Each structure stands twice: as C-alpha cells, then as structure tokens.
Amino acid sequence: MQGCLERKIPNHIEELRIENCQIDTQMTRELLLQFNGHCYLKRFGLVNAGVKDDMMDSLCEFATESSYLEEIDISYNRLSPFSFEKLMNVLATND
C-alpha cells in the first residue's frame, strides 16, 4: 500500500474499495489526504480493513470535504457505536 501512496493518484477514480486488508491508522490518513480535493471519488469502501475509532476524525473530515462522495462503506470494522454515530451525523449534515 505504501508504494501506491508514493505515486500520484489519478483524479478520474470514481470508486475505490479496500477489502480484507488491515491497514494502519497513519496509512488510512495518508490515503484520505491523497484523495481529498484531488479526485472525483464517489464511492469509497474500507470493508474489513481494520478501521478503528482513532480513524474516525479523518473519515469524518474526508466525508465533509469531499464534494463528490456519495457512498462510504465501512462494514465489518472495529468501530464503537459512538464513532459510527459521529460519522452518521456528519453524513446527515452533508448536502
């Protein structure tokens, strides 16, 4: 995954699904920073990817700042009800 982050991510990507891959918090933050404002990502999935509560601020920021994001899938991760509720509140306020 680190090699992918070292290259320029194409701006025409509309969907990215990362599944069954335990990526760490720092790598998730770097990935979200790469996409934020630089592409037309509409659907983003981190399914069974080891997403934890400490990543929620980065996910919420990404969801808030991404004007194209329509769908985010974070199923099968280790999130507390509080973190899930936080993301749901952010998504509910986005237009």
Side-chain angles (χ1 to χ4, degrees):
M1 187 68 139
Q2 188 63 37
C4 292
L5 294 176
E6 292 172 357
R7 290 183 261 160
K8 185 176 181 338
I9 296 176
N11 64 354
H12 64 278
I13 292 177
E14 290 187 9
E15 181 173 0
L16 176 66
R17 293 186 60 82
I18 299 172
E19 298 180 8
N20 303 317
C21 177
Q22 303 299 309
I23 59 178
D24 65 16
T25 302
Q26 185 59 34
M27 193 166 294
T28 302
R29 285 186 182 120
E30 289 177 28
L31 179 66
L32 294 174
L33 284 173
Q34 287 279 339
F35 281 116
N36 226 354
H38 301 285
C39 70
Y40 301 105
L41 192 64
K42 292 181 180 179
R43 291 171 301 283
F44 182 55
L46 286 169
V47 179
N48 192 26
V51 176
K52 301 176 200 148
D53 291 333
D54 60 346
M55 297 179 192
M56 193 50 61
D57 287 339
S58 296
L59 279 170
C60 288
E61 182 179 335
F62 175 70
T64 300
E65 294 180 6
S66 177
S67 57
Y68 296 99
L69 188 66
E70 297 173 357
E71 179 183 314
I72 187 166
D73 184 357
I74 54 170
S75 55
Y76 301 103
N77 284 288
R78 300 177 205 124
L79 296 171
S80 68
F82 175 76
S83 289
F84 185 71
E85 181 179 356
K86 182 177 182 176
L87 180 60
M88 294 305 295
N89 288 335
V90 166
L91 295 174
T93 59
N94 280 0
D95 292 336

